[in-house]
Amino acid sequence: MRMDFLATTLLLGACAATVPPTPPRADADVGVERAFFDTYPAPLFLSLAAVCAGPGQSIVRPSANRLQCESLPDPESAAALILNYDGTITDLPRYVIGLQADPVASGFDVSTSYYIRVPQLSGRSVEVRLRDPALGREMRRTLQAAGGRLTDAG
Protein backbone atom coordinates (compact mmCIF):
# COMPACT_ATOMS: atom_id res chain seq x y z
CA MET A 1 0.00 0.00 0.00
CA ARG A 2 2.78 2.44 0.91
CA MET A 3 4.58 1.68 -2.38
CA ASP A 4 1.35 2.27 -4.35
CA PHE A 5 0.86 5.64 -2.63
CA LEU A 6 4.45 6.67 -3.37
CA ALA A 7 4.20 5.58 -6.99
CA THR A 8 0.90 7.39 -7.51
CA THR A 9 2.15 10.57 -5.83
CA LEU A 10 5.35 10.65 -7.86
CA LEU A 11 3.46 9.98 -11.09
CA LEU A 12 0.95 12.75 -10.35
CA GLY A 13 3.78 15.08 -9.50
CA ALA A 14 5.44 14.39 -12.84
CA CYS A 15 2.21 15.15 -14.66
CA ALA A 16 1.47 18.29 -12.66
CA ALA A 17 4.46 20.28 -13.88
CA THR A 18 3.50 23.17 -16.16
CA VAL A 19 5.34 25.90 -17.97
CA PRO A 20 5.56 28.92 -15.65
CA PRO A 21 4.27 32.19 -17.10
CA THR A 22 7.39 34.12 -16.09
CA PRO A 23 10.94 32.99 -15.36
CA PRO A 24 11.34 32.22 -11.65
CA ARG A 25 14.18 33.60 -9.57
CA ALA A 26 17.43 31.64 -9.56
CA ASP A 27 16.93 30.44 -5.98
CA ALA A 28 18.32 26.91 -5.66
CA ASP A 29 15.75 26.03 -2.97
CA VAL A 30 12.70 26.66 -5.15
CA GLY A 31 11.32 23.25 -6.05
CA VAL A 32 13.30 21.40 -3.37
CA GLU A 33 11.85 19.52 -0.39
CA ARG A 34 13.93 17.82 2.31
CA ALA A 35 13.51 15.14 4.96
CA PHE A 36 15.69 13.12 7.31
CA PHE A 37 15.65 9.31 7.14
CA ASP A 38 17.21 7.01 9.74
CA THR A 39 18.08 4.45 7.03
CA TYR A 40 18.63 4.59 3.30
CA PRO A 41 15.18 5.10 1.67
CA ALA A 42 15.50 2.39 -1.00
CA PRO A 43 11.69 2.08 -1.45
CA LEU A 44 11.49 5.76 -2.35
CA PHE A 45 14.10 5.29 -5.10
CA LEU A 46 12.39 2.12 -6.32
CA SER A 47 9.05 3.96 -6.48
CA LEU A 48 10.48 6.74 -8.61
CA ALA A 49 12.06 4.23 -10.97
CA ALA A 50 8.81 2.24 -11.18
CA VAL A 51 6.63 5.22 -12.14
CA CYS A 52 9.13 6.55 -14.64
CA ALA A 53 8.38 3.99 -17.33
CA GLY A 54 5.90 5.78 -19.56
CA PRO A 55 6.33 7.05 -23.10
CA GLY A 56 8.84 9.89 -23.23
CA GLN A 57 10.17 9.14 -19.74
CA SER A 58 13.63 7.99 -18.78
CA ILE A 59 15.59 7.28 -15.62
CA VAL A 60 18.90 9.05 -15.17
CA ARG A 61 21.27 8.08 -12.36
CA PRO A 62 23.96 10.78 -12.09
CA SER A 63 25.44 9.09 -8.99
CA ALA A 64 24.81 6.17 -6.64
CA ASN A 65 22.65 8.27 -4.30
CA ARG A 66 20.86 10.35 -6.92
CA LEU A 67 18.05 9.35 -9.28
CA GLN A 68 16.08 11.45 -11.74
CA CYS A 69 12.95 10.83 -13.77
CA GLU A 70 13.02 12.92 -16.93
CA SER A 71 9.86 13.39 -18.99
CA LEU A 72 9.31 15.03 -22.33
CA PRO A 73 6.65 17.75 -22.25
CA ASP A 74 3.79 17.82 -24.71
CA PRO A 75 4.69 19.47 -28.06
CA GLU A 76 3.02 22.81 -27.24
CA SER A 77 4.82 23.13 -23.90
CA ALA A 78 8.13 22.09 -25.47
CA ALA A 79 7.72 24.76 -28.16
CA ALA A 80 6.92 27.43 -25.57
CA LEU A 81 9.94 26.47 -23.46
CA ILE A 82 12.24 26.45 -26.48
CA LEU A 83 11.04 29.90 -27.54
CA ASN A 84 11.06 31.45 -24.05
CA TYR A 85 14.47 30.13 -22.99
CA ASP A 86 16.48 30.18 -26.23
CA GLY A 87 16.23 26.40 -26.43
CA THR A 88 17.16 24.00 -29.19
CA ILE A 89 15.11 21.45 -31.09
CA THR A 90 17.98 18.96 -31.19
CA ASP A 91 17.87 18.44 -27.40
CA LEU A 92 14.34 18.92 -26.11
CA PRO A 93 13.32 20.32 -22.72
CA ARG A 94 12.59 17.80 -19.96
CA TYR A 95 10.51 17.84 -16.80
CA VAL A 96 12.79 16.50 -14.07
CA ILE A 97 11.85 15.00 -10.72
CA GLY A 98 14.88 13.99 -8.70
CA LEU A 99 15.76 12.23 -5.48
CA GLN A 100 19.05 12.53 -3.68
CA ALA A 101 20.13 10.82 -0.44
CA ASP A 102 23.19 12.27 1.28
CA PRO A 103 24.64 10.27 4.18
CA VAL A 104 24.93 12.23 7.43
CA ALA A 105 26.19 11.10 10.83
CA SER A 106 22.93 9.53 12.00
CA GLY A 107 21.07 8.72 8.77
CA PHE A 108 20.31 10.29 5.40
CA ASP A 109 19.36 13.77 4.30
CA VAL A 110 16.97 13.14 1.40
CA SER A 111 15.88 15.84 -1.00
CA THR A 112 13.41 15.88 -3.84
CA SER A 113 13.66 18.41 -6.62
CA TYR A 114 11.40 19.31 -9.47
CA TYR A 115 12.23 21.61 -12.34
CA ILE A 116 12.30 21.90 -16.11
CA ARG A 117 15.67 21.57 -17.84
CA VAL A 118 15.88 23.50 -21.09
CA PRO A 119 18.99 22.85 -23.21
CA GLN A 120 20.03 26.06 -24.97
CA LEU A 121 21.57 26.80 -28.34
CA SER A 122 24.79 27.78 -26.53
CA GLY A 123 25.18 24.19 -25.28
CA ARG A 124 24.37 25.09 -21.67
CA SER A 125 21.06 24.32 -19.96
CA VAL A 126 18.67 26.44 -17.94
CA GLU A 127 16.91 24.93 -14.92
CA VAL A 128 13.46 26.48 -14.67
CA ARG A 129 12.57 25.98 -11.01
CA LEU A 130 8.88 25.32 -10.42
CA ARG A 131 7.08 27.37 -7.81
CA ASP A 132 4.17 25.00 -7.38
CA PRO A 133 2.79 24.87 -3.83
CA ALA A 134 0.55 21.87 -4.59
CA LEU A 135 3.45 19.86 -6.01
CA GLY A 136 5.61 20.86 -3.04
CA ARG A 137 2.92 19.61 -0.63
CA GLU A 138 2.72 16.30 -2.52
CA MET A 139 6.49 15.89 -2.39
CA ARG A 140 6.50 16.57 1.37
CA ARG A 141 3.66 14.07 1.87
CA THR A 142 5.59 11.50 -0.16
CA LEU A 143 8.72 11.98 1.93
CA GLN A 144 6.70 11.59 5.13
CA ALA A 145 4.80 8.56 3.83
CA ALA A 146 8.15 6.92 3.06
CA GLY A 147 9.22 7.41 6.68
CA GLY A 148 11.06 10.72 6.50
CA ARG A 149 10.92 13.60 8.96
CA LEU A 150 10.67 16.92 7.15
CA THR A 151 13.54 19.34 7.65
CA ASP A 152 13.75 22.71 5.91
CA ALA A 153 11.21 23.10 3.10
CA GLY A 154 12.07 24.79 -0.14
Side-chain angles (χ1 to χ4, degrees):
M1 169 79 175
R2 177 181 262 179
M3 190 68 100
D4 290 338
F5 173 77
L6 293 173
T8 301
T9 299
L10 290 171
L11 181 60
L12 289 175
C15 296
T18 58
V19 178
T22 58
R25 60 191 165 98
D27 184 350
D29 282 339
V30 171
V32 175
E33 308 299 337
R34 291 182 176 85
F36 175 80
F37 286 76
D38 293 321
T39 60
Y40 187 79
L44 195 57
F45 282 82
L46 292 172
S47 293
L48 180 59
V51 299
C52 191
Q57 293 184 314
S58 59
I59 290 289
V60 177
R61 185 150 208 141
S63 66
N65 289 330
R66 188 171 172 204
L67 187 71
Q68 294 174 213
C69 176
E70 298 188 355
S71 304
L72 289 170
D74 63 82
E76 293 81 14
S77 295
L81 287 162
I82 289 167
L83 290 172
N84 286 326
Y85 294 96
D86 196 28
T88 175
I89 59 171
T90 58
D91 190 3
L92 296 175
R94 304 263 179 179
Y95 295 134
V96 179
I97 294 181
L99 283 173
Q100 183 165 332
D102 296 313
V104 293
S106 56
F108 290 87
D109 177 27
V110 176
S111 61
T112 63
S113 59
Y114 40 97
Y115 57 91
I116 303 170
R117 188 182 68 245
V118 183
Q120 296 184 298
L121 290 171
S122 67
R124 297 180 9 206
S125 291
V126 171
E127 283 186 6
V128 180
R129 292 288 172 169
L130 303 174
R131 260 184 265 188
D132 186 333
L135 185 54
R137 280 190 300 277
E138 288 304 313
M139 290 294 181
R140 289 188 297 276
R141 283 185 199 134
T142 299
L143 289 167
Q144 288 178 308
R149 293 186 303 277
L150 297 178
T151 56
D152 57 350

